[in-house]
Amino acid sequence: MTDFDHIEKVGVIGGGLMGSGITEVTARGGLSTIVVEVTEEAAQAARERVEGSLRKAEKRGKISAEDVDATLERIVFTTELERLADRDLVVEAASEREDVKLGLFERLGTILEQDDAVLTSNTSSIPIVKLGAVSGRADRVMGVHFFNPAPVMQLVELIPSLTTGEATKARMQHFVTEKLGKQPIEATDRAGFVVNSLLVPYLLSAIRMYEAGYASAEDIDKGMVLGCGHPMGPLALSDLIGLDTIRAIGVSMYDEFKEPLYSPPPLLDRMVDAGLLGKKSGHGFYAY
């Protein structure tokens, strides 16, 4: 087995929308996958989320019932971070908070048993170099940013930091293309990377437009869908991504670049403070 092929055991931290999607992708790729959540209830919710997605794919004829069962057998859900000790690769998909991610990477640096194990983050905006520094294995740390829904979206952003080793970059390029069947692009370790640097200012602009009373949420979205050929309007897309995530990315990008277009508008702050986070909370710019 070559060094490139030596990723068979994967760990995923976080079983939310992104974590469960990444779990489905790796398990469908034939890889043993351990998912770590903070509570038993969250772990059970992650299990139901993954199985529900697989059953939907089965109903659409994308996967057989036998493959669904085989995929689920490859996944273990747990609350114990130490269960990741033997993993070849860990993908962190916890909440978009720098303090949480730094704490996890510091712990994982001591937990992982294999010297060549790769530690990655699905962060949208937090500097990868910081995560590498606290892990004590900076040459084997990089960003691997999936897009929602991960089982469907083909793009993965690969983000090496200043300290990421060439071997780690090559392994992750091979892993994403050959093991997962995704299409990678490489971005520099700057807040927002490629996609969010373009997307988030657009979403924030739509929120400002709605806040200023230019048009209803429905008409803003209809304008971009029917007028520009977008598959989804910016406010509906914000709800899908999560308004807390949009705000966190905007804050991180504004902190780094000090560009006003990255600064979250007051309405977004108020909605997040009120728990109106979009689809995942049942209400955002639309009710679900």
Side-chain angles (χ1 to χ4, degrees):
M1 188 159 54
T2 68
D3 287 340
F4 279 152
D5 292 329
H6 187 52
I7 294 181
E8 300 293 338
K9 294 179 290 186
V10 177
V12 178
I13 301 176
L17 285 176
M18 288 308 307
S20 61
I22 295 166
T23 298
E24 181 179 338
V25 169
T26 58
R28 285 180 68 171
L31 304 170
S32 162
T33 304
I34 295 177
V35 184
V36 180
E37 259 294 1
V38 290
T39 65
E40 293 290 352
E41 292 78 12
Q44 179 61 28
R47 179 184 289 106
E48 293 170 358
R49 197 173 287 119
V50 173
E51 182 168 3
S53 176
L54 287 167
R55 296 300 179 193
K56 286 180 183 177
E58 179 191 348
K59 287 181 180 178
R60 294 196 301 268
K62 302 292 185 182
I63 186 173
S64 68
E66 292 77 12
D67 285 341
V68 169
D69 293 337
T71 298
L72 290 171
E73 286 176 5
R74 297 186 191 105
I75 308 171
V76 172
F77 296 86
T78 181
T79 59
E80 300 172 18
L81 199 65
E82 290 73 19
R83 293 284 298 275
L84 303 182
D86 70 340
R87 300 289 95 178
D88 305 313
L89 167 69
V90 174
V91 182
E92 174 272 314
S95 60
E96 193 71 1
R97 284 178 46 192
E98 186 169 318
D99 59 330
V100 171
K101 292 182 188 292
L102 288 172
L104 284 168
F105 272 70
E106 187 173 7
R107 288 182 64 191
L108 286 164
T110 63
I111 288 171
L112 292 176
E113 295 172 349
Q114 299 187 48
D115 287 341
D116 64 346
V118 178
L119 182 50
T120 68
S121 176
N122 187 59
T123 181
S124 304
S125 57
I126 293 168
I128 303 301
V129 71
K130 285 188 178 181
L131 302 176
V134 299
S135 75
R137 52 197 302 134
D139 61 320
R140 287 147 290 170
V141 172
M142 66 183 291
V144 179
H145 184 218
F146 292 80
F147 290 81
N148 186 38
V152 176
M153 300 294 281
Q154 285 297 299
L155 182 67
V156 177
E157 288 180 317
L158 297 179
I159 308 98
S161 78
L162 293 170
T163 54
T164 302
E166 290 297 324
T168 301
K169 289 195 283 185
R171 288 182 74 193
M172 295 314 298
Q173 283 274 356
H174 182 271
F175 175 76
V176 168
T177 55
E178 301 301 322
K179 294 278 191 179
L180 304 185
K182 302 289 189 184
Q183 297 293 322
I185 60 174
E186 187 171 313
T188 56
D189 186 16
R190 293 157 59 96
F193 314 135
V194 173
V195 173
N196 281 322
S197 289
L198 295 169
L199 176 64
V200 171
Y202 159 66
L203 300 180
L204 296 177
S205 179
I207 294 170
R208 290 189 191 96
M209 176 176 280
Y210 175 71
E211 182 179 42
Y214 278 63
S216 67
E218 292 83 357
D219 284 349
I220 290 170
D221 282 350
K222 186 184 291 185
M224 296 309 295
V225 170
L226 300 182
C228 293
H230 290 197
M232 182 180 291
L235 299 178
L237 180 56
S238 296
D239 276 356
L240 177 64
I241 294 169
L243 301 190
D244 53 338
T245 300
I246 298 293
R247 182 173 73 167
I249 298 169
V251 167
S252 180
M253 292 169 68
Y254 181 76
D255 286 347
E256 182 154 338
F257 302 114
K258 299 300 185 288
E259 293 280 358
L261 75 165
Y262 297 137
S263 179
L267 175 62
L268 180 59
D269 289 335
R270 299 296 186 276
M271 292 179 73
V272 172
D273 290 344
L276 304 175
L277 306 181
K279 196 168 185 179
K280 63 185 173 185
S281 71
H283 205 292
F285 291 102
Y286 297 92
Y288 299 92

